[in-house]
Amino acid sequence: MPVTESPHTRQVGWFTAACLLISNMIGGGIFTTTGFLARDLGDPPAILFLWIVGAAVSLAGALCYAELGTVFPQAGGDYVYLREAYGPLPAFLSGWTSFTVGFGAAIAASAVSFATYLVRALPLTGLDSGWITGLALALVWSLTAVHGVGLQAGGRLQQTLTTIKVLSIAGLILGGLLFGKGSWGHLQTSPDAPGVHGGVLVASFVFVFYTYLGWNVAGYIAGEIRDPVRTLPRIMIGGTLFVGVVYLCLNLLYFFALPVDRLGEPPLLPVAEKAATALWGSRGAFFAALLLAISIAGAVSAMVWAGPRVYWAMAVDGALLPWFGVRHQGTGIPVRSMVLQSTWVSFLILTSTFEQLVVYGGLVLAGFSALTIAAVMLLRRRRPELTRPFRVPLYPFLPILVILVLLTLIAHSLFHRPGESLMGLLTVMIGVPLYWLMGRRTKRERSADSYQ
């Protein structure tokens, strides 16, 4: 059943929601991914083309999610859309995957990355892995505390982190292009390039497209956004376009700083640091590491905010323990669901099991995203009476395009990483007995209530 939102929870304006979306999309991927593309393609024009295609496909996905978000402007995002289109079991499995992988493992991995880059940026030496773990846990729980205080405090924090992130990226781009030691001659294809063909392009696009994911995050907090029918399409479309421009400009900066063969040399991950060092020397490496730490902190903040809304919606439906479906009386924040998520994240950080979840999580997340996009067409056919304030343009071409791209990514994962793909499917299937157990518990509790 649709969840009725309390009016006092709708406090989030368009700017705060846009900051949430932008921070969720711009994590650490854009500062690392181009190194792999430079190694595998060795062709700057082809690499830039992939980033443009990634932006176009992401925009198509954002348009599809905008329609769903305006039809069901409730907290929960994909869980709500899948529940309305396919029923409770697929929705539960989506929420279970969000808990374990989509938010849980992603937050854990990002928090550890934040700590790693922070240590590299600050003059801290001789620190062992225990310090990295401690800093990661401190980030998760401090963000949980701020977002748990209320929407105003959490919103201001998200605005601050996103503003600093965007201004820092703008400073990196403008400073590098205007005052850095680079050359536009680096845009030429490397003579030792391995050659561009279909298989390499598909594999490279996998890296690019995963970097764009996150345009749907605003749907998770739709129940807290003022006037979501107008706001959601604007921020999903505008935010995705903004991120696409940022990604393209950053890649132009990388190629301005270094030739493609240098960007493709090991180590591949710190491509932003290599570019900044080439432009400004050692000070550039410090700035890049600090920028990465800030950017990742903003992404973690967005996920800490959005994820618990899924578990809250599940608990309200009876798909999770009802105890987690309670909002704080004063603030309307699902604090219990926030603590649940951060506890799971802490376990993953302390045991380092998030690494395995991240490796095979992409397959199942792409699968549920494809189901969600398909829900646009399914609901139009099955429930034409629903009010649709926003409709996907070029229907059904755009939804089909995004689904085909996602299915291509799934096929690529199954072919090249069958073991990890199997583990991803196993993680989803573990949710089936959990769904059955939760359903039985809910029935018993409701039966007990009926006798009172």
Side-chain angles (χ1 to χ4, degrees), residues 379-400:
L379 288 170
R380 283 207 187 186
R381 186 174 70 252
R382 289 184 177 178
R383 301 178 65 180
E385 78 284 356
L386 290 172
T387 301
R388 292 173 171 83
F390 178 86
R391 288 176 173 264
V392 180
L394 301 179
Y395 178 88
F397 170 74
L398 289 186
I400 293 174

Side-chain angles (χ1 to χ4, degrees), residues 130-293:
W131 278 93
I132 300 295
T133 300
L135 288 171
L137 291 172
L139 174 68
V140 171
W141 285 103
S142 60
L143 291 174
T144 302
V146 175
H147 284 291
V149 170
L151 288 174
Q152 290 188 353
R156 284 194 295 267
L157 173 65
Q158 197 65 57
Q159 290 176 7
T160 301
L161 290 173
T162 307
T163 301
I164 294 174
K165 176 193 297 193
V166 171
L167 291 178
S168 299
I169 293 174
L172 176 66
I173 295 171
L174 294 177
L177 295 179
L178 296 177
F179 306 109
K181 299 176 182 179
S183 171
W184 291 116
H186 297 160
L187 284 170
Q188 298 178 359
T189 303
S190 171
D192 300 325
V196 177
H197 55 82
V200 176
L201 279 175
V202 171
S204 299
F205 186 72
V206 170
F207 286 108
V208 170
F209 191 66
Y210 281 139
T211 304
Y212 275 104
L213 292 180
W215 65 75
N216 60 331
V217 70
Y220 290 103
I221 67 162
E224 297 164 344
I225 295 177
R226 291 195 296 267
D227 195 6
V229 169
R230 294 183 58 192
T231 302
L232 281 174
R234 292 181 179 182
I235 61 175
M236 285 185 176
I237 298 168
T240 303
L241 286 173
F242 177 81
V243 170
V245 172
V246 170
Y247 283 4
L248 184 61
C249 291
L250 278 171
N251 277 277
L252 286 171
L253 177 70
Y254 298 155
F255 293 123
F256 177 74
L258 288 169
V260 66
D261 53 351
R262 291 278 304 281
L263 291 172
E265 292 176 352
L268 295 173
L269 283 176
V271 63
E273 291 183 63
K274 289 196 290 187
T277 301
L279 293 168
W280 297 314
S282 58
R283 290 178 299 178
F286 160 79
F287 180 78
L290 187 60
L291 171 58
L292 267 162

Side-chain angles (χ1 to χ4, degrees), residues 214-445:
W215 65 75
N216 60 331
V217 70
Y220 290 103
I221 67 162
E224 297 164 344
I225 295 177
R226 291 195 296 267
D227 195 6
V229 169
R230 294 183 58 192
T231 302
L232 281 174
R234 292 181 179 182
I235 61 175
M236 285 185 176
I237 298 168
T240 303
L241 286 173
F242 177 81
V243 170
V245 172
V246 170
Y247 283 4
L248 184 61
C249 291
L250 278 171
N251 277 277
L252 286 171
L253 177 70
Y254 298 155
F255 293 123
F256 177 74
L258 288 169
V260 66
D261 53 351
R262 291 278 304 281
L263 291 172
E265 292 176 352
L268 295 173
L269 283 176
V271 63
E273 291 183 63
K274 289 196 290 187
T277 301
L279 293 168
W280 297 314
S282 58
R283 290 178 299 178
F286 160 79
F287 180 78
L290 187 60
L291 171 58
L292 267 162
I294 295 171
S295 180
I296 294 171
V300 173
S301 175
M303 291 185 285
V304 167
W305 181 355
R309 276 58 183 175
V310 180
Y311 327 134
W312 172 83
M314 294 172 68
V316 170
D317 283 350
L320 199 62
L321 296 178
W323 192 79
F324 294 109
V326 177
R327 290 183 183 265
H328 188 277
Q329 290 185 352
T331 63
I333 301 295
V335 177
R336 296 175 180 178
S337 291
M338 294 186 70
V339 172
L340 171 68
Q341 175 176 267
S342 295
T343 301
W344 168 244
V345 169
S346 299
F347 170 79
L348 294 178
I349 292 174
L350 290 170
T351 60
S352 296
T353 50
F354 66 87
E355 297 176 358
Q356 291 80 12
L357 290 173
V358 169
V359 168
Y360 61 70
L363 169 73
V364 293
L365 294 175
F368 281 113
S369 294
L371 280 176
T372 304
I373 299 295
V376 174
M377 298 183 290
L378 185 65
L379 288 170
R380 283 207 187 186
R381 186 174 70 252
R382 289 184 177 178
R383 301 178 65 180
E385 78 284 356
L386 290 172
T387 301
R388 292 173 171 83
F390 178 86
R391 288 176 173 264
V392 180
L394 301 179
Y395 178 88
F397 170 74
L398 289 186
I400 293 174
L401 170 65
V402 182
I403 292 171
L404 289 176
V405 170
L406 289 167
L407 291 179
T408 301
L409 299 184
I410 294 170
H412 179 272
S413 179
L414 288 170
F415 181 78
H416 291 279
R417 291 188 170 183
E420 291 91 337
S421 300
L422 181 61
M423 292 300 296
L425 294 174
L426 179 61
T427 301
V428 176
M429 295 312 297
I430 290 174
V432 175
L434 290 176
Y435 170 78
W436 180 75
L437 290 172
M438 289 295 175
R440 290 195 62 180
R441 181 186 178 92
T442 301
K443 287 181 180 179
R444 286 199 304 267
E445 291 182 353

